[in-house]
Amino acid sequence: MFRSEGRFKPFEKKVWLCSPTRHGDEELAYIQDAFDKNWITTAGANVDEVEKIAAEKVGCRFAVALGCGTAALHLCVKLAGIGRGDLVATSDVSFSATVNPVLYEGGIPVFIDTEYDTWNMDPRALEKAFSLYPGIRAVVCADLYGTPGKLDELKAVCDAHGVVLIEDAAESLGGSYKGKPTGSFGRFNAISFNGNKIITGSSGGMLLTDDREAAEKARKWSTQSREHAPWYQHEETGYNYRMSNLIAGVVRGQFPHLEEHIARKKAIYQRYREGLKDLPVQMNPYDQEASEPNFWLSCLLIEPSAMCRQVRDEKEALYRPEEGKSCPTEILETLARYNAEGRPIWKPLHSQPLYRMNGFVTREGNGRAKTNAYSDGAPLGQDGLPLDVGLDIFQRGLCLPSDIKMTAEEQDTVIEIIRSCFA
Ligand SMILES: *Cc1c(COP(=O)(O)O)cnc(C)c1O
C-alpha cells in the first residue's frame, strides 16, 4: 500500500538524513600540509590545533583528540572510576554508543526515562533512580539530536548525590544552554566528528574537561599508557585511541564552518515547523528561553489522535493506512519511495534485548515492568501522560531529512510528501 503513488517525482539525487558537508580546499589544505611535512601519524599540527579550537569553542580548559566519540566516552567512564558491577545512570533514548563504554568497563547501566520538553533525560526520574539504586556512581546524559536537556537540573541532582556527570555532547556541538556551550556541563565530556555529525573528520572525537590531571591521564591511556621511561614501560592498560593528524586536518578545515552549519540546520528546522504547522504534529521541542540547540536533526512527533495503527516487533513494522492519520512507518516508507532518507527515533535502550535485565526508571520511580510493544493500553502516569515517555516518542516520532545540502525546493517536496501521508 502506498497512498501517494505517482504524485511526486522521486528525487533524482537522494535527499539524505544528514551527510558530510565539505568545504573543499580548506580540509584538503590541512591534509596536504600533514603530507608535506610527513606528519602522517597521530601527532602533528592539525591534532594540536583542533584540540585548541575545540577547547576554546566548548569552553573547557583541556581537550584530548581521539579516534572517535565512543573512545572519548570510554575514557570519560574510566576517569569516573567505573568498574565491574558499578551502576551508571544513562539516557534511555540515545544512540547505543552513549552506553556501550559503560559495558566495556563492566558497569551496569540503569536507564532513566525521557521528558517531553526536550526529549532528554528527565531530572525527576534521575532523582528517583538514586533512591531505587543508591549504588549509582555516575550519570551519562546525551543531548538528543543537538538539543540540550535540562542540564542545570540534571547537574544539581548529580551534585546532590556526589556523583560525576558525563555529558555526551556528540550530537550537540555548537549548541548552548543558559549561555554555556554543551560539552562543558559534565566533569568529563565527549564530542564526535563522525561522518554524519554537525562537523566531521570522517571519524574522530574528543574528550573535554577542566581537570588537568584527568586530561593528562586520558592522553596517556589513549597512547598505550606508556610511562616516562627510556623504554616501553607500562603500569596500566593502554588504548590506541589517538586521533590521526590527517583526520584532524579535516576537522580543522570544518571548524570555521560550524556556525554556518548550525544556521543552515536551524533554517531547515524552521522551514519544517512552518510547513507542517497545520498538521497534527509537533517538531522536536526545546526550551526557547534557556537553550540554543545546534538543530542537528529535525524530528517530528505525531499527535496521539492522528496515529494510524502501527505495530513493531523486534525486527519489522506494520501499519494500516487511515484517512487523516499516519505513523512514522508510513512516513519513513513513503519518503524512501521518493528517494529521501528519514530515520526512526532511537529505540529506547531499556527496550533493547541487550538490556532486558537492566533497570529502567520513570518520573514516578517505577517502570521496571518493561514492555517493548507500545499500544493503546500503555500505562499512564498520575499526570495522565504515558509513563514510558521514551517508548511513546519512539512510537510516534521520526527524524526527517536534515541534510545541509538539501535545497529549499527539495525540502518543500519533502514537506508535501509528509502532508500526503495525512491525506
Ligand atoms: C555519534 C554518537 C556517539 C559516538 O560517536 P562516534 O564518533 O561515532 O564514536 C556517541 N553518542 C551519541 C549520542 C552519538 O550520536
Side-chain angles (χ1 to χ4, degrees), residues 50-66:
V50 289
E51 285 185 343
K52 231 185 278 164
I53 298 168
E56 203 167 293
K57 183 80 212 165
V58 173
C60 274
R61 289 177 61 210
F62 305 101
V64 182
L66 300 167

PDB file of all heavy atoms in Angstrom, residues 50-66:
ATOM      1  N   VAL A  50      43.320  21.393  16.481  1.00  0.00           N
ATOM      2  CA  VAL A  50      41.897  21.095  16.740  1.00  0.00           C
ATOM      3  C   VAL A  50      41.625  20.966  18.242  1.00  0.00           C
ATOM      4  O   VAL A  50      40.522  21.290  18.693  1.00  0.00           O
ATOM      5  CB  VAL A  50      41.357  19.842  15.999  1.00  0.00           C
ATOM      6  CG1 VAL A  50      41.243  20.101  14.513  1.00  0.00           C
ATOM      7  CG2 VAL A  50      42.154  18.601  16.280  1.00  0.00           C
ATOM      8  N   GLU A  51      42.612  20.522  18.985  1.00  0.00           N
ATOM      9  CA  GLU A  51      42.404  20.482  20.444  1.00  0.00           C
ATOM     10  C   GLU A  51      42.227  21.898  20.985  1.00  0.00           C
ATOM     11  O   GLU A  51      41.358  22.161  21.814  1.00  0.00           O
ATOM     12  CB  GLU A  51      43.595  19.784  21.132  1.00  0.00           C
ATOM     13  CG  GLU A  51      43.572  18.277  20.945  1.00  0.00           C
ATOM     14  CD  GLU A  51      44.664  17.550  21.709  1.00  0.00           C
ATOM     15  OE1 GLU A  51      45.641  18.202  22.138  1.00  0.00           O
ATOM     16  OE2 GLU A  51      44.546  16.322  21.880  1.00  0.00           O
ATOM     17  N   LYS A  52      43.040  22.805  20.485  1.00  0.00           N
ATOM     18  CA  LYS A  52      42.961  24.195  20.936  1.00  0.00           C
ATOM     19  C   LYS A  52      41.598  24.803  20.556  1.00  0.00           C
ATOM     20  O   LYS A  52      40.920  25.429  21.375  1.00  0.00           O
ATOM     21  CB  LYS A  52      44.096  25.010  20.287  1.00  0.00           C
ATOM     22  CG  LYS A  52      44.913  25.810  21.289  1.00  0.00           C
ATOM     23  CD  LYS A  52      45.949  26.690  20.601  1.00  0.00           C
ATOM     24  CE  LYS A  52      47.218  25.912  20.249  1.00  0.00           C
ATOM     25  NZ  LYS A  52      48.069  26.599  19.267  1.00  0.00           N
ATOM     26  N   ILE A  53      41.221  24.597  19.293  1.00  0.00           N
ATOM     27  CA  ILE A  53      39.964  25.177  18.790  1.00  0.00           C
ATOM     28  C   ILE A  53      38.770  24.631  19.578  1.00  0.00           C
ATOM     29  O   ILE A  53      37.886  25.375  19.993  1.00  0.00           O
ATOM     30  CB  ILE A  53      39.785  24.872  17.285  1.00  0.00           C
ATOM     31  CG1 ILE A  53      40.909  25.503  16.455  1.00  0.00           C
ATOM     32  CG2 ILE A  53      38.424  25.355  16.788  1.00  0.00           C
ATOM     33  CD1 ILE A  53      40.967  25.009  15.008  1.00  0.00           C
ATOM     34  N   ALA A  54      38.766  23.296  19.779  1.00  0.00           N
ATOM     35  CA  ALA A  54      37.614  22.671  20.448  1.00  0.00           C
ATOM     36  C   ALA A  54      37.519  23.129  21.904  1.00  0.00           C
ATOM     37  O   ALA A  54      36.424  23.430  22.402  1.00  0.00           O
ATOM     38  CB  ALA A  54      37.713  21.153  20.368  1.00  0.00           C
ATOM     39  N   ALA A  55      38.663  23.188  22.583  1.00  0.00           N
ATOM     40  CA  ALA A  55      38.651  23.596  23.990  1.00  0.00           C
ATOM     41  C   ALA A  55      38.087  25.016  24.103  1.00  0.00           C
ATOM     42  O   ALA A  55      37.262  25.311  24.978  1.00  0.00           O
ATOM     43  CB  ALA A  55      40.057  23.528  24.577  1.00  0.00           C
ATOM     44  N   GLU A  56      38.504  25.873  23.186  1.00  0.00           N
ATOM     45  CA  GLU A  56      38.036  27.247  23.211  1.00  0.00           C
ATOM     46  C   GLU A  56      36.547  27.326  22.908  1.00  0.00           C
ATOM     47  O   GLU A  56      35.783  27.995  23.586  1.00  0.00           O
ATOM     48  CB  GLU A  56      38.821  28.031  22.160  1.00  0.00           C
ATOM     49  CG  GLU A  56      38.859  29.518  22.415  1.00  0.00           C
ATOM     50  CD  GLU A  56      39.897  30.156  21.527  1.00  0.00           C
ATOM     51  OE1 GLU A  56      41.104  29.887  21.715  1.00  0.00           O
ATOM     52  OE2 GLU A  56      39.475  30.889  20.614  1.00  0.00           O
ATOM     53  N   LYS A  57      36.140  26.597  21.881  1.00  0.00           N
ATOM     54  CA  LYS A  57      34.748  26.620  21.430  1.00  0.00           C
ATOM     55  C   LYS A  57      33.813  26.112  22.521  1.00  0.00           C
ATOM     56  O   LYS A  57      32.760  26.686  22.780  1.00  0.00           O
ATOM     57  CB  LYS A  57      34.636  25.748  20.173  1.00  0.00           C
ATOM     58  CG  LYS A  57      33.294  25.704  19.531  1.00  0.00           C
ATOM     59  CD  LYS A  57      33.057  26.919  18.695  1.00  0.00           C
ATOM     60  CE  LYS A  57      31.583  27.266  18.713  1.00  0.00           C
ATOM     61  NZ  LYS A  57      31.310  28.607  18.213  1.00  0.00           N
ATOM     62  N   VAL A  58      34.196  25.021  23.156  1.00  0.00           N
ATOM     63  CA  VAL A  58      33.322  24.396  24.151  1.00  0.00           C
ATOM     64  C   VAL A  58      33.511  25.045  25.526  1.00  0.00           C
ATOM     65  O   VAL A  58      32.651  24.921  26.399  1.00  0.00           O
ATOM     66  CB  VAL A  58      33.584  22.864  24.190  1.00  0.00           C
ATOM     67  CG1 VAL A  58      32.837  22.199  25.323  1.00  0.00           C
ATOM     68  CG2 VAL A  58      33.201  22.228  22.866  1.00  0.00           C
ATOM     69  N   GLY A  59      34.617  25.740  25.706  1.00  0.00           N
ATOM     70  CA  GLY A  59      34.819  26.399  26.989  1.00  0.00           C
ATOM     71  C   GLY A  59      35.305  25.463  28.068  1.00  0.00           C
ATOM     72  O   GLY A  59      34.991  25.641  29.251  1.00  0.00           O
ATOM     73  N   CYS A  60      36.048  24.448  27.674  1.00  0.00           N
ATOM     74  CA  CYS A  60      36.724  23.595  28.647  1.00  0.00           C
ATOM     75  C   CYS A  60      38.206  23.909  28.569  1.00  0.00           C
ATOM     76  O   CYS A  60      38.718  24.290  27.529  1.00  0.00           O
ATOM     77  CB  CYS A  60      36.505  22.112  28.323  1.00  0.00           C
ATOM     78  SG  CYS A  60      34.991  21.447  29.013  1.00  0.00           S
ATOM     79  N   ARG A  61      38.920  23.715  29.664  1.00  0.00           N
ATOM     80  CA  ARG A  61      40.343  24.065  29.643  1.00  0.00           C
ATOM     81  C   ARG A  61      41.167  23.074  28.829  1.00  0.00           C
ATOM     82  O   ARG A  61      42.153  23.445  28.215  1.00  0.00           O
ATOM     83  CB  ARG A  61      40.876  24.139  31.081  1.00  0.00           C
ATOM     84  CG  ARG A  61      40.326  25.360  31.834  1.00  0.00           C
ATOM     85  CD  ARG A  61      40.796  25.394  33.263  1.00  0.00           C
ATOM     86  NE  ARG A  61      42.249  25.490  33.360  1.00  0.00           N
ATOM     87  CZ  ARG A  61      42.960  24.976  34.363  1.00  0.00           C
ATOM     88  NH1 ARG A  61      42.346  24.330  35.339  1.00  0.00           N
ATOM     89  NH2 ARG A  61      44.256  25.113  34.401  1.00  0.00           N
ATOM     90  N   PHE A  62      40.737  21.797  28.819  1.00  0.00           N
ATOM     91  CA  PHE A  62      41.554  20.782  28.148  1.00  0.00           C
ATOM     92  C   PHE A  62      40.726  19.944  27.180  1.00  0.00           C
ATOM     93  O   PHE A  62      39.571  19.631  27.453  1.00  0.00           O
ATOM     94  CB  PHE A  62      42.207  19.864  29.186  1.00  0.00           C
ATOM     95  CG  PHE A  62      42.994  20.639  30.202  1.00  0.00           C
ATOM     96  CD1 PHE A  62      42.455  20.892  31.461  1.00  0.00           C
ATOM     97  CD2 PHE A  62      44.242  21.162  29.885  1.00  0.00           C
ATOM     98  CE1 PHE A  62      43.157  21.628  32.396  1.00  0.00           C
ATOM     99  CE2 PHE A  62      44.953  21.911  30.820  1.00  0.00           C
ATOM    100  CZ  PHE A  62      44.411  22.151  32.070  1.00  0.00           C
ATOM    101  N   ALA A  63      41.356  19.615  26.057  1.00  0.00           N
ATOM    102  CA  ALA A  63      40.722  18.741  25.064  1.00  0.00           C
ATOM    103  C   ALA A  63      41.732  17.682  24.651  1.00  0.00           C
ATOM    104  O   ALA A  63      42.912  17.982  24.475  1.00  0.00           O
ATOM    105  CB  ALA A  63      40.282  19.549  23.858  1.00  0.00           C
ATOM    106  N   VAL A  64      41.262  16.453  24.518  1.00  0.00           N
ATOM    107  CA  VAL A  64      42.124  15.360  24.064  1.00  0.00           C
ATOM    108  C   VAL A  64      41.493  14.769  22.808  1.00  0.00           C
ATOM    109  O   VAL A  64      40.380  14.217  22.857  1.00  0.00           O
ATOM    110  CB  VAL A  64      42.258  14.273  25.155  1.00  0.00           C
ATOM    111  CG1 VAL A  64      43.206  13.165  24.681  1.00  0.00           C
ATOM    112  CG2 VAL A  64      42.755  14.872  26.464  1.00  0.00           C
ATOM    113  N   ALA A  65      42.183  14.900  21.673  1.00  0.00           N
ATOM    114  CA  ALA A  65      41.652  14.428  20.387  1.00  0.00           C
ATOM    115  C   ALA A  65      41.806  12.916  20.288  1.00  0.00           C
ATOM    116  O   ALA A  65      42.891  12.377  20.509  1.00  0.00           O
ATOM    117  CB  ALA A  65      42.387  15.116  19.245  1.00  0.00           C
ATOM    118  N   LEU A  66      40.705  12.236  19.940  1.00  0.00           N
ATOM    119  CA  LEU A  66      40.678  10.775  19.936  1.00  0.00           C
ATOM    120  C   LEU A  66      40.091  10.246  18.625  1.00  0.00           C
ATOM    121  O   LEU A  66      39.567  11.013  17.815  1.00  0.00           O
ATOM    122  CB  LEU A  66      39.849  10.278  21.130  1.00  0.00           C
ATOM    123  CG  LEU A  66      40.384  10.718  22.505  1.00  0.00           C
ATOM    124  CD1 LEU A  66      39.346  10.456  23.586  1.00  0.00           C
ATOM    125  CD2 LEU A  66      41.694  10.013  22.838  1.00  0.00           C
TER     126      LEU A  66
END
